[in-house]
Amino acid sequence: RMFSGYKPKNDVKDSYKILELEEGCSLDDVRNSYRSLAKKYHPDSSSGMADSKAFIRVEEAYRVVLSDLTGKQKSDPGEEEEDQFKPKSLQHRHYLSFEGVGIGTPSQREKQYMQFRVDRATEQVLEYRQQRLESRYAGSDLSRAKDVRQSKKVKITQAVERLVEDLIQESMAKGDFDNLSGKGKPLQKFSDSPHIDPMTHNLNRILIDNGYQPEWILLQKEIRETIERLRKSIVASRRKLGEPMTLPEQKQWSRICEQFAEDIRKLNKRVDNFNLVVPILSRQMVHFSTDKEILRARKTYEAVMGEVSDSDMKEKEGEEGKRFGWKSSLFKWLKL
């Protein structure tokens, strides 16, 4: 619009006044002033001073001032020569392209960027092939190991079945099954639980006969044995310290109690695992309390010490009786 045939109504001086500028200002000052006034007077702005006529005057003044500044710059060739020799700041916008790769002119940078893309694609292809080969060989090794384990299981099962069948046939040939009770009679059905499959009942019976125990029974047995061992150990430790305890012995007893509390905490974790696998709700166990167990150990220690003192008193009385027994027998004989 600046180079069109439109002629503005404003004069140069009036235009500077409208833009609130003075002659000789820079182009940046003109642009900043125009932006602030346009935001102020534009009809579409939300400011309270919006005015279409004032905005038109500001725009015309902006055109006039721009044309005046461009004319002054063209009329000063010395300044243009000086500007040619002045160091200009690099325009870094073109470095945003080509992912910032390369140096030199745009054509040189483009060639360098194409070579960079080729190298990157080659590396990605090599990595993909390497991963694919690793996954393939890893999968083949796993499948081979699974096949070997499965084949071993099948061979062992078949060998056991053949061995059992051979033993049965050999026993039948010897006549070991001739004198069995119930020979020639139909097999009795499992009458223990009619709701269980006979095969399942038979398998359970075989497992029980061979000493198999479920996991929760083993856990319960282990927990009981552990708590008994801990109780005996803390009572034995208390008996070693004796009564009354000195200050070092009291510190040692506190350390023993701390270790006992740690063992109880580990045991309670086993109790949690047991409660997760036990099939009967009424068989679940509660946590062991450290304070209650220590109090129980003290009572056990006191009872043991009381029994020891009673036995010592009886032994002393027996020794005194043996020592003075001849006197009592002499008195009896004199009386007689």
Side-chain angles (χ1 to χ4, degrees), residues 196-212:
I196 299 178
D197 182 31
M199 183 61 69
T200 305
H201 189 277
N202 193 15
L203 290 173
N204 292 335
R205 184 174 57 81
I206 292 172
L207 291 173
I208 292 170
D209 293 342
N210 287 275
Y212 172 77

Side-chain angles (χ1 to χ4, degrees), residues 18-42:
I18 292 171
L19 293 177
E20 299 177 358
L21 296 171
E22 295 180 358
E23 295 184 8
C25 61
S26 63
L27 187 61
D28 293 335
D29 296 336
V30 175
R31 289 174 179 170
N32 293 332
S33 178
Y34 171 70
R35 287 172 185 167
S36 62
L37 293 173
K39 292 179 182 178
K40 187 176 180 181
Y41 295 114
H42 198 279

Side-chain angles (χ1 to χ4, degrees), residues 141-156:
D141 293 339
L142 291 174
S143 61
R144 288 176 185 174
K146 289 181 180 179
D147 293 340
V148 170
R149 289 196 295 269
Q150 191 67 23
S151 62
K152 285 183 179 179
K153 288 181 180 179
V154 172
K155 289 180 181 178
I156 292 171

Side-chain angles (χ1 to χ4, degrees), residues 10 45 67-68 83 118 127 143 148 172 193 217 253 257 309 311:
N10 296 332
S45 65
S67 62
D68 181 59
D83 291 339
V118 171
E127 289 179 0
S143 61
V148 170
M172 290 175 66
S193 180
I217 292 179
W253 172 247
C257 292
S309 61
S311 61

Side-chain angles (χ1 to χ4, degrees), residues 220-278:
Q220 187 180 26
K221 184 178 179 182
E222 182 181 358
I223 290 168
R224 290 176 177 173
E225 291 177 353
T226 304
I227 191 63
E228 289 297 329
R229 178 174 55 81
L230 292 175
R231 288 169 178 171
K232 290 180 180 178
S233 64
I234 193 170
V235 172
S237 301
R238 183 65 185 87
R239 289 185 64 182
K240 287 180 181 179
L241 296 176
E243 188 71 29
M245 290 189 295
T246 61
L247 184 60
E249 289 176 347
Q250 290 178 1
K251 292 181 179 180
Q252 185 178 358
W253 172 247
S254 62
R255 288 195 296 268
I256 292 171
C257 292
E258 290 176 0
Q259 183 62 36
F260 181 75
E262 181 66 20
D263 295 336
I264 291 294
R265 187 182 63 82
K266 294 179 181 179
L267 184 62
N268 288 331
K269 287 186 178 181
R270 295 185 188 177
V271 172
D272 293 335
N273 297 332
F274 169 77
N275 292 334
L276 290 175
V277 298
V278 64

Side-chain angles (χ1 to χ4, degrees), residues 74-85:
K74 290 179 180 179
S75 63
D76 294 336
E79 293 182 0
E80 291 181 0
E81 292 178 358
E82 290 179 0
D83 291 339
Q84 290 178 0
F85 294 102

Side-chain angles (χ1 to χ4, degrees), residues 115-127:
Q115 184 64 35
F116 170 74
R117 289 186 64 187
V118 171
D119 296 339
R120 184 171 61 183
T122 305
E123 292 179 358
Q124 291 177 355
V125 170
L126 291 175
E127 289 179 0

